[in-house]
């Protein structure tokens, strides 16, 4: 009898892990706009079909006006970037792709960090490392910025204590003043500085990093990559002043009750 009980429990746990990690979900957020963006984040080493065919097909089906990749497209111990290159090439055939760095791109060993950015440069992706690009869609001018902050906001040595804090002034030092003309879209991997992003002048900020809290119970994320419980802004749309912070639960890493997602926004 005990053996049967443990077998049933093991099967339930296995099913929970499978259905929390294998399905690729699409979350849709209608923010009342006329431009459709697909948000991809935290792919790490995950593959959805051969050469990410399932992921690419899901994004293509949404017919986006542009695609945002808000960091951690790879993981820090990755050395072969052939799959991410083919994935990026395929996405660029769907719509313009804008991308920023996450903490894993920043913490790649120097040799492979250079190789990664060289690989991205061989595609049509607009990789924004404290730079910006402009796009006009449906008569709206969008200025898209990619923030690459100091790594101290993520980790210091081997410690997650006394981390650096981003302020609007620090962001201005990295990106310059927020422009007055057009709408300002910011890609910033770390979602914990929403107030600073708003004060700097972003209209929308695309973030990831927290993986939805890894485990989600009753809609609450449990753990952040910084080993902190119940992290704020783990998944969803958050409002800071006149800015909307758009946080994806991402695609990679092991998760529970928190399936991989892409997010479609009407902004």
């Amino acid at each position: 009898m005990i053996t049967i009980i443990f077998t049933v429990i093991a099967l339930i746990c296995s099913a929970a892990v499978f259905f929390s990690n294998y399905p690729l979900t699409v979350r849709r957020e209608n923010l009342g706009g006329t431009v459709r963006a697909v948000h991809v984040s935290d792919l790490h080493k995950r593959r959805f079909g051969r050469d990410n065919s399932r992921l690419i097909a899901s994004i293509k089906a949404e017919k986006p006006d542009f695609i945002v990749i808000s960091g951690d497209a790879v993981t820090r111990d990755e050395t072969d970037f052939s799959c991410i290159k083919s994935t990026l090439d395929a996405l660029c055939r769907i719509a313009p792709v804008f991308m920023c760095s996450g903490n894993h791109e920043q913490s790649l060993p120097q040799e492979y960090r250079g190789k990664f950015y060289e690989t991205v440069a061989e595609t049509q992706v607009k990789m924004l490392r404290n730079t910006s690009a402009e796009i006009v869609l449906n008569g709206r001018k969008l200025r898209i910025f990619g923030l690459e902050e100091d790594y101290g906001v993520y980790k210091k040595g081997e410690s997650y204590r006394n981390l650096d804090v981003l302020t609007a002034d620090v962001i201005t030092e990295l990106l310059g003043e927020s422009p007055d003309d057009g709408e300002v879209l910011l890609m910033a991997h770390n979602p914990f500085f929403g107030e600073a992003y708003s004060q700097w002048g972003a209209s929308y900020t695309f973030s990831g990093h927290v993986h939805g809290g890894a485990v989600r119970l009753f809609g609450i994320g449990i753990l952040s990559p910084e080993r902190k419980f119940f992290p704020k802004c783990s998944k969803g749309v958050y409002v800071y002043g006149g800015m909307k912070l758009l946080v994806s639960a991402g695609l990679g890493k092991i998760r529970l009750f928190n399936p991989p997602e892409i997010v479609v926004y009407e902004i």
Side-chain angles (χ1 to χ4, degrees):
M1 184 65 179
I2 293 177
T3 301
I4 294 175
I5 292 173
F6 277 112
T7 300
V8 170
I9 292 173
L11 289 172
I12 292 172
C13 291
S14 297
V17 170
F18 177 83
F19 286 108
S20 296
N21 288 271
Y22 181 77
L24 175 60
T25 62
V26 179
R27 175 162 58 93
R28 293 181 174 84
E29 301 284 356
N30 190 337
L31 305 180
T34 60
V35 172
R36 175 172 291 189
V38 166
H39 184 188
V40 177
S41 196
D42 298 274
L43 180 59
H44 293 285
K45 283 187 174 180
R46 285 296 306 276
R47 302 290 182 263
F48 295 88
R50 185 174 181 179
D51 294 328
N52 277 319
S53 57
R54 281 201 297 133
L55 174 63
I56 294 162
S58 292
I59 294 172
K60 184 177 182 179
E62 297 301 325
K63 299 180 179 178
D65 293 307
F66 68 100
I67 299 166
V68 168
I69 303 176
S70 60
D72 285 3
V74 296
T75 200
R76 63 172 57 90
D77 61 358
E78 204 159 343
T79 58
D80 181 355
F81 304 118
S82 57
C83 184
I84 191 63
K85 183 181 186 302
S86 65
T87 301
L88 294 176
D89 281 335
L91 294 181
C92 288
R93 290 192 287 270
I94 298 171
V97 179
F98 301 86
M99 183 175 175
C100 72
S101 297
N103 55 306
H104 277 252
E105 282 92 355
Q106 289 195 53
S107 58
L108 282 164
Q110 185 171 357
E111 173 188 356
Y112 291 106
R113 191 183 318 154
K115 181 181 177 183
F116 168 75
Y117 288 119
E118 288 171 6
T119 299
V120 176
E122 293 171 0
T123 73
Q124 296 299 309
V125 170
K126 294 177 177 62
M127 184 77 201
L128 303 180
R129 304 179 65 190
N130 291 332
T131 55
S132 67
E134 185 178 297
I135 187 170
V136 177
L137 295 168
N138 297 333
R140 294 166 61 184
K141 183 167 74 172
L142 307 177
R143 288 284 301 276
I144 303 177
F145 288 77
L147 178 65
E148 188 168 315
E149 66 282 85
D150 186 86
Y151 192 72
V153 305
Y154 297 106
K155 195 174 182 182
K156 287 192 169 182
E158 297 302 316
S159 175
Y160 293 101
R161 302 181 63 183
N162 302 314
L163 298 178
D164 293 341
V165 175
L166 275 179
T167 65
D169 288 341
V170 171
I171 296 170
T172 299
E173 290 177 8
L174 295 171
L175 297 180
E177 297 284 349
S178 176
D180 295 327
D181 60 323
E183 298 166 84
V184 179
L185 277 58
L186 174 64
M187 298 183 297
H189 184 64
N190 193 321
F192 296 147
F193 306 104
E195 186 172 345
Y197 302 148
S198 175
Q199 291 173 350
W200 173 73
S203 306
Y204 298 91
T205 297
F206 296 83
S207 298
H209 180 56
V210 189
H211 311 140
V215 177
R216 290 186 73 82
L217 296 174
F218 307 107
I220 299 172
I222 303 301
L223 186 67
S224 80
E226 291 78 19
R227 315 310 193 247
K228 300 290 195 323
F229 287 105
F230 308 112
K232 66 177 182 178
C233 303
S234 61
K235 172 182 175 177
V237 178
Y238 305 86
V239 178
Y240 286 86
M243 182 202 77
K244 290 182 174 66
L245 175 64
L246 313 176
V247 184
S248 170
L251 294 161
K253 299 289 187 179
I254 295 296
R255 47 187 65 219
L256 190 61
F257 310 123
N258 176 31
E261 69 172 15
I262 61 172
V263 193
V264 180
Y265 304 100
E266 306 288 346
I267 63 173

